[in-house]
Amino acid sequence: RGQVTGHLFIDTNGNGTQDTGENALPGVTVIITDSLNMTRSVTSDANGNYTSTVPAGSTTADVDETTLPAGYVQTAGSDPSTVNASAGSTTSVGNDGYQPQGVVTGHLFVDTDGNGTQDAGENALSGVTVVITDSLNMTRSVTSDANGNYTATVPAGSTMADVDETTLPAGYVQTVGSDPSTVNVPAGSTTSAGNDGY
């Protein structure tokens, strides 16, 4: 027999490495399938580590994603991982990092009468660029769709949505909403940056 071990952590910045200040990920179930095709479940401890004693031979560790916190997406390691467990030794299946992520959305429309509400007959505003600045100060551009909606998946935390006014039709002036808008995006949730009318 031998042992297999692994380590799980929160990769807050999504760079694939456990940096100073990034915590371990405890309480996550890992399914171990040994060389005899027998399975057992282990759970990561307070330090994010898990261990299992197995018969020597090919062994697979598979993180049970249903036991991860909501919105956690793998950014480091490979899952499942297969290693050859050697008799009398401990073999690492590697480190797996997960970044907490959420979704930010917004809506743009043509406020023809300027009353601050999208009334019947007032169209969505498509093809407008919105610059998203996430909690890691990284930016990306998204474009409003045919329904005037935009969406971006971001690391959890403070997120800013800023309409690029140069992509609005000429002469369009904001009548409702705030731009830029900053919202807190919790992991595993969808947060609206609001409706903006022009």
Side-chain angles (χ1 to χ4, degrees):
R1 291 189 163 209
Q3 279 195 328
V4 292
T5 65
H7 178 69
L8 307 179
F9 68 95
I10 301 172
D11 188 17
T12 306
N13 63 10
N15 72 347
T17 302
Q18 186 171 11
D19 302 305
T20 302
E22 291 183 330
N23 294 328
L25 191 49
V28 176
T29 300
V30 181
I31 308 299
I32 306 296
T33 304
D34 66 29
S35 59
L36 303 176
N37 208 32
M38 301 295 290
T39 61
R40 68 209 73 182
S41 296
V42 294
T43 303
S44 57
D45 64 18
N47 297 312
N49 300 320
Y50 61 89
T51 302
S52 181
T53 299
V54 295
S58 179
T59 304
T60 300
D62 187 4
V63 173
D64 180 355
E65 285 81 6
T66 66
T67 64
L68 289 168
Y72 278 47
V73 176
Q74 188 165 22
T75 54
S78 60
D79 182 62
S81 295
T82 300
V83 295
N84 186 47
S86 299
S89 68
T90 298
T91 304
S92 173
V93 295
N95 299 336
D96 292 301
Y98 295 84
Q99 183 183 47
Q101 296 181 356
V103 175
V104 62
T105 64
H107 178 69
L108 308 178
F109 67 95
V110 181
D111 188 17
T112 307
D113 61 9
N115 72 347
T117 303
Q118 186 172 10
D119 303 306
E122 291 183 330
N123 294 328
L125 193 48
S126 62
V128 175
T129 299
V130 181
V131 179
I132 306 296
T133 304
D134 65 30
S135 59
L136 302 175
N137 208 33
M138 302 295 290
T139 61
R140 71 209 74 182
S141 295
V142 294
T143 303
S144 59
D145 64 17
N147 298 312
N149 299 321
Y150 62 87
T151 184
T153 299
V154 295
S158 180
T159 304
M160 182 173 70
D162 186 6
V163 173
D164 180 353
E165 284 80 6
T166 66
T167 64
L168 288 167
Y172 277 46
V173 176
Q174 189 165 21
T175 56
V176 64
S178 60
D179 182 61
S181 298
T182 300
V183 293
N184 182 53
V185 181
S189 71
T190 298
T191 303
S192 174
N195 298 337
D196 293 299
Y198 296 84

